[in-house]
Amino acid sequence: MKRINKIGHCLLAIALILLSINSVKAQQTTADSALLGRIAILEQQVADQKPGESHFMVAGLTTFGFVSSKTTFTAPGSMGQITRANSLGDADHYELSPMFLFRHGDNLLVEFEPSFDGTNIGVNWANISYFAAPGLVVHAGYFVVPFGIYSKKLAAGWIDKLAGDPAGLDLPGTDFGIGFSGGFPLGDMKWSYDVSLTNGLQLLPDGELQNAGIVDNNKGKMLSGRVSLLPFSNSSLEIGVSALHSNAGDAGSNFTSANVTMYGADINFVKTFSPFLVNIKGQYNKINVTPQTYTSPVDSSLFSYNNVTSSAFAQISVRPVGSDSFLKNFELAYRYSNYTTPAGSAWGQNFHENDFGLDYWLSWRTVLKFTYAQSRSLSTTSVTAGGTPGLTNINSLYLQFSVEF
Amino acid sequence: MKKIKTRTRGWIMIIGMIAVIALIFTSCAENEKIAAKSGAQLWAENCQRCHNTPSPSAFSHEQWKTVGLHMQTRAQLTDKERDKIIAFLQQ
């Protein structure tokens, strides 16, 4: 009886063990199939996210703000006339520009930046870059012509430390054509080039210049380029020189022989002198148009002037990046700019501007800028040319927000 | 005739320029000190030349590859600098 009991216990124990093994197995199978199901879903999700050879992203920027200004115009021999204005849009600087970047593999990049300026929708650039070989990027389409540093590298609202743009750096602007650029090591130093062949500039009846656009106004093309040297191994200093040549007269017009030559020099120095990050930037541009005879819009008489324009800016900014407190988000900036257009033309002036700025960086690409700008423009125009002589002083206060997204 | 001449002159100038660039390129080389620079160091030195330096977490792996090419067109980075900086930012 006792024995039977023992066997019974044994059998019971074995049955229990078998049962528990089975239930573990069953649990495991349920766990396995749940896991497999989850993995299958994840695999699907990864497959959906798999980048492939192409990549598309949207970046871009927006700048908006408020400007309050007081303009005093003093005509020769009379009292100054004051006009005050304030605008929430800051029409000169408002911008919303999404930028589309399409990358195909490792060698092709298409960039397209439409832009709304508060009134119109335009295009800042639309071009394709082919990374052909080490030190050779070929780009074609509509792009910022390589000349100096401001237009191509510093003009974006979230990059510029002051609310406005320095005057007189609009040319050579953005144009249609083809370009080549690249950078190379040179021992401890580095150098770079950026050249382009584009449709070029167009000389207007009053002697001013603008971009000819996609349909060229003559057979000649514009050759522009910049070469730079970074003499220190830490890339803190860059010195650049630029040159440009373009036929500018409309084919078949009185200006057929008109040529434009531009020269430029620029400097960029960025270095930390603990606890401050110091930023020095500057550029000088000179534009020469070969002598032409212009027709007066006032009395149709013929006249001529020395069509030479120069512009320059020098800027310094300091940011206490080494500080532990919120102070490290502040940056102080100052810029002097000068713009001298031809005396005796309809648009002759001698313009100076001082800009003082205090910026607050909300992130590396988001900034709130307070800028006080003070400008003085003495007209050097001639009345025969259609100009208005006088002195214009403008004081402006900007509160501007800009973000790269 | 004049038209052809101007055009030919333009092309000679461009080809000449490319030839000069190619020549300088072949004679250029980075020295050991430059070759030993890490991606992190190049990132710290180069990106601040124009704007504040973005941190690696700002963009994804693929986005950094695209931004890297884009910045090469703005900053004329050398190809080695670009590759090292992208690799660092992708970590």
Side-chain angles (χ1 to χ4, degrees), chain B:
Chain B
M1 190 61 202
K2 209 178 158 203
K3 191 187 351 174
I4 296 170
K5 260 192 189 159
T6 331
R7 212 182 280 168
T8 322
R9 223 187 302 143
W11 281 114
I12 290 174
M13 269 175 89
I14 293 166
I15 293 166
M17 235 186 255
I18 295 173
V20 170
I21 287 159
L23 237 170
I24 299 177
F25 166 54
T26 46
S27 64
C28 290
E30 57 182 8
N31 63 20
E32 273 169 38
K33 182 171 135 198
I34 304 291
K37 284 196 179 194
S38 68
Q41 191 178 355
L42 291 168
W43 160 78
E45 288 174 355
N46 281 282
C47 307
Q48 65 172 8
R49 280 161 46 201
C50 295
H51 49 70
N52 297 316
T53 309
S55 80
S57 62
F59 291 97
S60 72
H61 202 272
E62 285 299 304
Q63 284 174 324
W64 275 128
K65 216 162 143 183
T66 305
V67 170
L69 290 183
H70 191 219
M71 284 307 108
Q72 191 179 17
T73 70
R74 293 296 184 274
Q76 284 82 48
L77 301 168
T78 68
D79 286 65
K80 276 197 184 152
E81 284 177 332
R82 180 201 68 195
D83 292 345
K84 282 186 184 176
I85 294 172
I86 295 179
F88 163 73
L89 288 166
Q90 284 177 333
Q91 277 169 19

Side-chain angles (χ1 to χ4, degrees), chain A residues 47-304:
Chain A
D48 290 345
Q49 299 284 318
K50 189 172 158 251
E53 289 192 341
S54 304
H55 179 250
F56 167 66
M57 69 185 271
V58 185
L61 79 152
T62 185
T63 301
F64 55 84
F66 170 78
V67 58
S68 171
S69 62
K70 176 182 142 195
T71 306
T72 313
F73 176 71
T74 317
S78 60
M79 292 273 287
Q81 282 172 296
I82 297 177
T83 351
R84 285 174 205 274
N86 68 58
S87 166
L88 258 180
D90 181 10
D92 285 342
H93 306 104
Y94 173 79
E95 163 175 20
L96 194 148
S97 315
M99 177 173 57
F100 303 94
L101 294 170
F102 307 79
R103 174 171 57 77
H104 292 257
D106 295 333
N107 298 67
L108 270 182
L109 181 73
V110 174
E111 45 176 312
F112 174 54
E113 189 173 280
S115 178
F116 176 58
D117 66 3
T119 318
N120 299 306
I121 294 188
V123 170
N124 288 347
W125 53 78
N127 61 74
I128 182 161
S129 296
Y130 176 57
F131 298 76
L136 178 63
V137 184
V138 183
H139 46 275
Y142 184 58
F143 51 83
V144 180
V145 176
F147 194 96
I149 45 170
Y150 191 76
S151 304
K152 189 165 178 174
K153 303 169 194 260
L154 307 173
W158 64 279
I159 295 180
D160 195 354
K161 317 269 184 206
L162 293 145
D165 296 296
L169 297 179
D170 298 340
L171 292 174
T174 312
D175 205 356
F176 294 88
I178 183 162
F180 308 89
S181 68
F184 300 101
L186 188 67
D188 248 11
M189 305 189 286
K190 212 161 67 179
W191 74 278
S192 83
Y193 71 96
D194 195 353
V195 294
S196 74
L197 186 73
T198 57
N199 274 345
L201 298 170
Q202 178 180 28
L203 188 64
L204 298 173
D206 66 357
E208 282 190 271
L209 292 162
Q210 69 172 21
N211 289 100
I214 193 158
V215 179
D216 203 355
N217 62 329
N218 56 37
K219 294 267 159 59
K221 296 287 164 270
M222 175 161 90
L223 195 59
S224 183
R226 173 176 179 268
V227 181
S228 83
L229 183 73
L230 291 95
F232 304 136
S233 62
N234 61 9
S235 300
S236 59
L237 178 67
E238 180 172 10
I239 299 164
V241 287
S242 305
L244 171 154
H245 183 268
S246 173
N247 293 82
D250 290 350
S253 75
N254 288 342
F255 294 148
T256 318
S257 65
N259 284 324
V260 181
T261 338
M262 278 180 76
Y263 299 101
D266 56 76
I267 185 165
N268 188 23
F269 177 71
V270 182
K271 197 167 189 292
T272 307
F273 295 95
S274 202
F276 298 107
L277 178 69
V278 176
N279 226 298
I280 295 173
K281 301 185 191 296
Q283 181 174 334
Y284 171 77
N285 281 13
K286 186 161 188 175
I287 313 177
N288 276 298
V289 179
T290 49
Q292 306 296 316
T293 307
Y294 303 97
T295 310
S296 160
V298 182
D299 57 10
S300 300
S301 60
L302 298 178
F303 71 106
S304 190

